[in-house]
């Protein structure tokens, strides 16, 4: 195995131009993938943030006993879809309105705004159907006068999320596939450049596994190096965008590490395919 | 050591390369395989080192039959062979010693055992002083000696040489041939393809002659095991 590692690494010294070319190609295809990932990540976060604001508001009829509402609050908190329930008293509603709409301060008189129950929903329970179901249950309480949850808005948001997820998946898969084809081709070039060596290895009795090992290591190293370069490029682009266009989020360390590991795995996989194909072709 | 029994080989193009070839080489023999280009010499050698498989008939090599030999066993079998080519097939970016060591490395030999073995075989082929030279720094004859050293380093039972002197001048040819004879004297069987008829005639060694894919003459036929003199020129 030692020898395989040595041979795998030596290939960079033996064919520096081709190696640099492979790393660059891998880096750029992963860079494209990374940029796409960044867009997808931010889009998702934006949609999640908007999604966090999906809430149902039930207005409480005047004169309702506080005990009735507090029992209902505990009840509602137990709904599986519910992330949190808050009671907004008349006084709080007034204060909020005054704060948010300062210029109309004098319009708001005590007792003008009704108390309400605000229900926030868990992630995964924000589909139009789920929202409607909770709203219906909420409406069943006697003391609830009126329910509001922006039905149309929830439906739109949900549709947007579905489309974004589908497009994201399709584009992501396409990018990954294209990256793999490009990486596979570059590694195949490296394999072909060493066809003579492979032939000699076979003639002196090397097993296919022995021949394959250095190429897999080479592919892994190239993949990780390409991943590092891609990460740096993505980071630089991110900084530039953050400075001149819009503040966005970058990959967390775990996602960045996963990206590097994926680069390595892609390198190994592409190498395995390229060497395997070559070994079959030369018999 | 090596036995061909009614061997035929037809490549994918449909043209038969060899047909009905039968011969037997015993341990310690030295035989020439001669014939014009395209006669099938290289095919016989490729079948011998299992680069190709016979279309029909059987090749028995070091006790293994081509009929039963699985691809997994081929590498182990090749480690007991030494193969030498006209174009040397050395790795240009490695020194003579590294080229020889390569053949040991693929067998998984430890670094400690490799170095002394490499020096020993380089000494045997007279190139110890040039161990650190790369192929392009060596003459054709010297490169072929490196290739022979590589073939020898695993102590092979059989050396298969495909026109090993084809690219060499007369002096180097002589040297390489003498080296192969020395190796043969140590008990290693040698099968050498060549079209250098002068070399063949002057050596007095067993000769197998191929013509259009068939074995048309075997100076050792029926006397397998004893080196035979070439008594006539079958052309």
């Amino acid at each position: 195995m030692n020898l395989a590692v040595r041979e795998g690494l030596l290939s960079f010294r033996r064919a520096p131009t081709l190696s640099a070319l492979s790393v660059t190609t891998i880096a750029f295809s992963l860079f494209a993938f990374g940029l796409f990932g960044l867009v997808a990540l931010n889009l998702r976060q934006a949609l999640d943030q908007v999604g966090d604001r999906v809430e149902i508001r039930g207005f409480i009829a005047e004169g309702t006993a506080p005990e009735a509402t507090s029992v209902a609050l505990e009840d509602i908190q137990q709904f599986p879809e519910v992330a949190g329930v808050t009671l907004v008293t008349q006084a709080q509603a007034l204060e909020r309105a005054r704060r948010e709409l300062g210029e109309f301060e004098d319009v708001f008189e005590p007792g003008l705004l009704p108390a309400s129950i605000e229900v926030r929903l868990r992630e995964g329970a924000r589909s139009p159907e789920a929202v409607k179901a909770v709203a219906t249950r909420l409406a069943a309480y006697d003391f609830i006068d009126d329910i509001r949850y922006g039905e149309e808005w929830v439906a739109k948001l949900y549709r947007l999320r579905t489309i974004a997820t589908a497009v994201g998946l399709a584009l992501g898969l396409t990018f990954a596939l294209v990256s793999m084809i490009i990486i596979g081709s570059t590694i195949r070039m490296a394999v072909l450049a060493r066809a003579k060596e492979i032939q000699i290895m076979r003639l002196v009795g090397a097993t296919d596994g022995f021949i394959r090992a250095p190429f897999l290591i080479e592919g892994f190293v190239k993949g990780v190096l390409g991943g590092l370069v891609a990460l740096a490029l993505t980071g630089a682009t991110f900084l530039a965008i953050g400075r001149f266009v819009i503040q966005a989020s970058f990959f967390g360390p775990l996602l960045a590490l996963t990206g590097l590991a994926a680069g390595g795995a892609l390198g190994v996989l592409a190498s395995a395919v390229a060497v395997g194909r070559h070994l079959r072709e030369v018999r | 050591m090596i036995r061909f029994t009614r061997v035929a080989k037809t490549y994918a193009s449909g043209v038969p390369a060899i047909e009905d070839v039968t011969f037997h080489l015993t341990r310690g023999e030295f035989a020439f395989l001669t014939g014009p280009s395209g006669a099938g010499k290289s095919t016989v050698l490729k079948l011998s080192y299992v680069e190709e498989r016979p279309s029909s008939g059987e090749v028995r090599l070091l006790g293994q039959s081509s009929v039963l030999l699985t691809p997994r066993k081929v590498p182990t079998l090749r480690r007991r062979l030494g193969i030498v080519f006209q174009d040397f097939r050395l790795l240009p970016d490695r020194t003579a010693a590294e080229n020889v060591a390569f053949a040991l490395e693929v067998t998984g030999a430890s670094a400690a055992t490799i170095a002394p073995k490499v020096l020993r075989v380089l000494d045997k082929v007279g190139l110890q002083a040039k161990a650190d030279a790369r192929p392009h720094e060596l003459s054709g004859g010297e490169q072929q000696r490196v290739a022979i050293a590589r073939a020898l380093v695993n102590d092979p039972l059989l050396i298969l040489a495909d026109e090993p002197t084809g690219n060499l001048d007369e002096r180097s040819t002589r040297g390489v041939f003498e080296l192969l004879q020395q190796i043969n004297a140590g008990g290693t069987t040698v099968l050498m393809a060549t079209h250098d008829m002068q070399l063949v005639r002057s050596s007095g060694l067993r000769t197998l002659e191929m013509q259009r894919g068939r074995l048309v003459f075997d100076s050792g036929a029926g006397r397998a095991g004893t080196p035979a003199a070439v008594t006539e020129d079958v052309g």
Side-chain angles (χ1 to χ4, degrees):
Chain A
M1 206 55 205
N2 231 343
L3 177 76
V5 173
R6 200 187 75 208
E7 286 293 316
L9 297 180
L10 265 179
S11 68
F12 288 87
R13 212 168 70 194
R14 294 206 180 101
T17 319
L18 192 61
S19 300
L21 192 71
S22 306
V23 172
T24 313
T25 317
I26 293 172
F28 273 98
S29 58
L30 289 179
F31 175 45
F33 192 64
L35 280 187
F36 164 75
L38 215 53
V39 171
L41 178 81
N42 279 285
L43 194 66
R44 203 192 144 83
Q45 278 187 355
L47 286 175
D48 278 351
Q49 270 171 20
V50 178
D52 281 342
R53 286 162 61 182
V54 171
E55 62 175 23
I56 303 165
R57 191 174 291 189
F59 294 100
I60 301 171
E62 257 195 273
T64 304
E67 299 77 41
T69 40
S70 60
V71 169
L73 277 179
E74 271 170 38
D75 249 16
I76 295 163
Q77 183 72 65
Q78 301 307 312
F79 290 4
E81 302 93 335
V82 171
V85 194
T86 326
L87 175 71
V88 182
T89 61
Q90 281 192 313
Q92 284 166 338
L94 183 68
E95 194 194 325
R96 193 197 280 173
R98 282 188 171 153
R99 196 174 56 235
E100 287 175 4
L101 305 161
E103 58 266 45
F104 302 110
E105 205 176 329
D106 32 330
V107 176
F108 300 114
E109 282 167 21
L112 179 74
L113 296 171
S116 63
I117 293 177
E118 288 178 3
V119 180
R120 287 175 313 285
L121 296 172
R122 281 181 205 285
E123 236 185 291
R126 292 172 188 161
S127 70
E129 295 77 26
V131 177
K132 196 169 180 175
V134 176
T136 313
R137 285 176 75 180
L138 210 59
Y141 289 98
D142 295 337
F143 56 82
I144 295 287
D145 246 1
D146 192 12
I147 292 275
R148 282 203 205 140
Y149 62 91
E151 191 169 8
E152 208 174 302
W153 181 76
V154 168
K156 260 188 196 155
L157 180 69
Y158 190 72
R159 213 174 310 132
L160 196 63
R161 264 191 78 110
T162 314
I163 293 172
T165 309
V167 171
L169 267 180
L171 277 180
L173 281 176
T174 313
F175 266 118
L177 196 71
V178 170
S179 303
M180 268 179 78
I181 291 171
I182 293 173
I183 293 169
S185 311
T186 23
I187 301 263
R188 190 164 157 74
M189 266 163 67
V191 171
L192 287 177
R194 285 165 64 192
K196 192 177 170 188
E197 192 173 332
I198 292 177
Q199 186 194 33
I200 295 169
M201 284 171 112
R202 276 200 150 165
L203 288 173
V204 294
T207 59
D208 282 0
F210 184 91
I211 295 172
R212 218 176 266 131
F215 283 103
L216 299 190
I217 288 162
E218 188 185 332
F220 177 75
V221 174
K222 280 180 179 173
V224 171
L225 282 181
L228 275 175
V229 175
L231 199 62
L233 286 175
T234 317
T237 312
F238 168 74
L239 287 179
I241 288 178
R243 187 154 186 187
F244 301 112
V245 191
I246 187 175
Q247 280 295 326
S249 309
F250 196 60
F251 306 117
L254 189 69
L255 210 56
L257 268 181
T258 311
L260 284 187
L266 218 57
V268 171
L269 197 70
S271 288
V273 172
V275 186
R277 193 167 143 200
H278 180 76
L279 288 178
R280 269 196 311 280
E281 275 170 8
V282 295
R283 221 180 48 80
Chain B
M1 183 61 49
I2 182 162
R3 183 191 291 275
F4 274 54
T5 310
R6 309 204 60 142
V7 175
K9 174 69 189 175
T10 305
Y11 289 111
S13 61
V15 184
I18 63 166
E19 282 176 289
D20 199 24
V21 171
T22 299
F23 69 89
H24 178 210
L25 227 66
T26 54
R27 197 182 188 114
E29 262 196 289
F30 192 124
F32 284 114
L33 186 62
T34 68
S37 297
K41 302 190 293 292
S42 290
T43 300
V44 168
L45 286 173
K46 279 181 183 167
L47 288 162
S48 304
Y49 58 80
V50 211
E51 177 81 15
E52 297 291 346
R53 302 282 187 137
S55 306
S56 67
E58 184 195 29
V59 175
R60 281 193 79 84
L61 181 70
L62 312 177
Q64 305 261 16
S65 162
S66 61
V67 182
L68 302 170
L69 191 69
T70 58
R72 290 179 73 87
K73 284 189 187 158
V74 173
T76 344
L77 186 63
R78 283 197 186 144
R79 290 174 196 176
R80 294 156 72 195
L81 303 176
I83 312 169
V84 182
F85 296 93
Q86 180 173 3
D87 57 1
F88 324 132
R89 303 209 185 165
L90 298 174
L91 294 167
D93 51 5
R94 290 177 208 215
T95 65
E98 285 167 347
N99 264 287
V100 176
F102 194 58
L104 282 173
E105 285 168 348
V106 306
T107 66
S110 70
T113 61
I114 291 176
K117 270 192 175 177
V118 169
L119 285 180
R120 183 173 55 81
V121 286
L122 280 177
D123 185 41
K124 198 165 183 175
V125 300
L127 277 180
Q128 202 171 21
K130 298 200 170 176
D132 294 327
R134 286 176 198 276
H136 68 90
E137 296 164 330
L138 299 170
S139 72
E142 288 169 334
Q143 288 187 53
Q144 194 59 293
R145 282 169 183 272
V146 176
I148 292 171
R150 181 181 63 196
L152 275 183
V153 79
N154 275 318
D155 299 318
L157 296 168
L158 169 67
I159 290 220
L160 297 164
D162 195 356
E163 307 262 6
T165 59
N167 280 351
L168 305 180
D169 59 29
E170 211 181 315
R171 198 162 149 262
S172 302
T173 296
R174 218 2 92 190
V176 164
F177 175 56
E178 279 166 8
L179 180 58
L180 288 172
Q181 276 191 303
Q182 268 176 41
I183 293 163
N184 174 242
T188 307
T189 312
V190 178
L191 178 60
M192 171 174 164
T194 182
H195 49 233
D196 186 342
M197 288 315 289
Q198 207 190 334
L199 186 74
V200 173
R201 279 193 211 101
S202 62
S203 72
L205 292 165
R206 182 176 172 190
T207 305
L208 304 162
E209 183 168 338
M210 302 285 298
Q211 292 263 353
R212 288 190 212 91
R214 286 175 180 275
L215 185 64
V216 294
F217 173 73
D218 179 358
S219 66
R223 292 175 292 154
T226 52
V230 180
T231 49
E232 52 185 317
D233 180 18
V234 180

